[in-house]
Amino acid sequence: MNSPSRVINFVNAAHFIDHYAMLIFAAAVIIMGPALGMAYSELLPYATPGFVAFGAGSLLTGWLGDRWSRRHMMVIFFVGIGLSMISVGLVQTPLQLGAALLAIGIFASIYHPVGTAMIVSYADKLGREMGINGVWGNLGVASSALVTGVIGQYLGWRYAFFIPGAVTVLIGIAFASMVVHEDRKGTRQAAAQARIAKADVWRLILALMIVVVAISTTFNAVTVALPKLFAERLAGLTKSPALLGVIAAGVYVFGAMTQYTVGKLLDKHSLKTVMLPLSFLLAPLMYLAATLSNLPLIVATIGIIMGAFGQVTVNDALVGKYTPEEWRSRAYAVRYFVGFTAAGASVGLVAWLYERGGFVTMLQAFAGLCLFVIAAAIILPREMAPKPAV
């Protein structure tokens, strides 16, 4: 039998890698543009197919996780995404770049429906483990901006893909040798204890769909745009890519702390109790940040990151709490298909809005979208008392 802590540690590492790999380009594009002779708004859309595959691929990978093997799918994830990162560092043309980023998105689509389902299966306390898992994903986002900025400045943008790609392949080899089979019998069912009245199921589904689309789109837009936003708006503080990466990483640390805190709260309080106050953070802060710069922008961005990443933890816990073990990967597959497909469109939307009105127009537009998060939190039904644990 696999050690639950060992499996969870590897899955947490996979969450780190998943977000890190998807956002290397967002940070590297600042220095890739001059090297390839292309503007930011011209180069950024080449990431769109990868982000679409990130969501669309989850339907197939979630189905394979339930019907075949979650363990085998995670081996494919580690090795595939590692080799794909290396391939980006080898590209010579924009078309090759788009193909390599697409490969990253395809393999990245494995993690969320498969890895999140494994977390739920092996977790003693779902909220805590979801919060910790979210921290790892958040650290992947933060480290991507930081490490890519440093490597890009001192070694060149190609090594920003080579080095993490090689490390990821090695982690995949370790996972394959240390997690040799998959345990589903006797897995924990802490996640599948929440209940609502049958008459309220439609409210649950509607609230989930609204918040998944709104948060996933906003989350992706903010994480993709943040390096460029800071490069433009923090010019009064620094113009160093490495230092800008440090500042971005520091902002994401607040998101990591929020995810851990929200995870702990979800073990003690209902989903609605946690989600409702959290939902009021994003819209006003996004609108405010549209016209800020330097230190005030950093403060507003911290609040935005806290709101977005906290909501991601709520969304994952919501699916886990209402889904039985045998359907869990597929349930997460639908959740991430909807979320990441919408998020994939946000990359092109960021470029389109930026070209027409800069970050003022882009942030104000997403502030309007975040009003739907408040509506979803209000619609979400309250849980009934859980059944006694078996």
Side-chain angles (χ1 to χ4, degrees):
M1 182 175 179
N2 293 316
S3 164
S5 61
R6 177 187 298 167
V7 174
I8 289 174
N9 286 340
F10 270 114
V11 174
N12 286 340
H15 198 193
F16 177 99
I17 291 165
D18 200 50
H19 286 289
Y20 184 104
M22 288 300 297
L23 288 172
I24 297 175
F25 179 69
V29 69
I30 298 172
I31 52 177
M32 289 173 68
L36 297 175
M38 298 177 68
Y40 175 77
S41 59
E42 293 175 326
L43 199 54
L44 189 62
Y46 282 95
T48 300
F51 278 106
V52 172
F54 192 28
S58 64
L59 287 178
L60 176 60
T61 58
W63 181 83
L64 287 171
D66 279 341
R67 298 300 298 271
W68 180 42
S69 169
R70 292 174 188 164
R71 181 261 181 193
H72 296 345
M73 291 298 293
M74 290 304 296
V75 173
I76 293 171
F77 162 80
F78 281 116
V79 176
I81 201 170
L83 294 177
S84 298
M85 280 188 274
I86 293 172
S87 73
V88 177
L90 298 171
V91 303
Q92 299 297 325
T93 68
L95 185 60
Q96 292 173 357
L97 174 64
L101 293 174
L102 173 62
I104 288 180
I106 290 171
F107 287 107
S109 72
I110 295 173
Y111 171 75
H112 283 92
V114 177
T116 310
M118 291 183 76
I119 287 286
V120 177
S121 295
Y122 285 90
D124 273 321
K125 292 186 177 180
L126 178 63
R128 182 192 64 189
E129 295 298 348
M130 279 292 185
I132 294 173
N133 180 254
V135 169
W136 279 87
N138 195 312
L139 292 175
V141 173
S143 299
S144 186
L146 172 61
V147 178
T148 300
V150 173
I151 295 177
Q153 182 170 336
Y154 295 106
L155 297 178
W157 68 265
R158 294 184 186 276
Y159 283 92
F161 292 93
F162 287 149
I163 295 172
V167 171
T168 298
V169 172
L170 293 176
I171 294 174
I173 294 171
F175 176 81
S177 62
M178 297 176 70
V179 181
V180 295
H181 58 86
E182 183 176 352
D183 301 319
R184 294 206 191 186
K185 293 182 179 179
T187 51
R188 292 144 171 84
Q189 291 296 317
Q193 294 179 359
R195 297 181 301 145
I196 57 171
K198 289 183 178 180
D200 288 335
V201 170
W202 72 270
R203 293 172 58 194
L204 171 68
I205 295 172
L206 180 61
L208 180 61
M209 290 299 101
I210 291 173
V211 78
V212 162
V213 171
I215 290 298
S216 297
T217 306
T218 302
F219 173 97
N220 205 50
V222 170
T223 53
V224 165
L226 196 64
K228 179 66 173 176
L229 174 65
F230 278 3
E232 284 191 10
R233 299 283 187 87
L234 302 187
L237 299 177
T238 181
K239 294 183 180 180
S240 165
L243 187 54
L244 288 170
V246 171
I247 295 172
V251 169
Y252 285 126
V253 167
F254 286 90
M257 292 189 297
T258 303
Q259 287 190 293
Y260 180 76
T261 302
V262 168
K264 297 281 284 186
L265 289 172
L266 289 171
D267 284 329
K268 299 177 181 179
H269 306 284
S270 71
L271 285 160
K272 189 178 182 75
T273 300
V274 177
M275 182 180 176
L276 191 57
L278 196 60
S279 68
F280 284 92
L281 275 178
L282 285 169
L285 286 174
M286 293 280 284
Y287 190 84
L288 183 64
T291 55
L292 296 178
S293 60
N294 296 322
L295 186 59
L297 174 64
I298 295 174
V299 174
T301 306
I302 288 172
I304 292 169
I305 293 298
M306 291 173 67
F309 281 75
Q311 287 287 0
V312 169
T313 303
V314 171
N315 294 352
D316 286 340
L318 197 156
V319 175
K321 280 178 174 288
Y322 291 100
T323 309
E325 167 66 25
E326 61 272 18
W327 285 89
R328 195 163 288 139
S329 285
R330 278 167 282 188
Y332 278 114
V334 173
R335 176 256 190 269
Y336 286 108
F337 170 75
V338 173
F340 287 144
T341 301
S346 72
V347 181
L349 187 58
V350 167
W352 184 78
L353 290 169
Y354 177 82
E355 194 172 14
R356 277 151 183 77
F359 283 117
V360 173
T361 300
M362 177 241 157
L363 289 169
Q364 289 178 346
F366 281 98
L369 179 63
C370 288
L371 293 174
F372 288 96
V373 178
I374 300 173
I378 294 171
I379 293 170
L380 183 71
R382 293 195 178 274
E383 302 166 19
M384 297 169 62
K387 294 180 179 179
V390 178

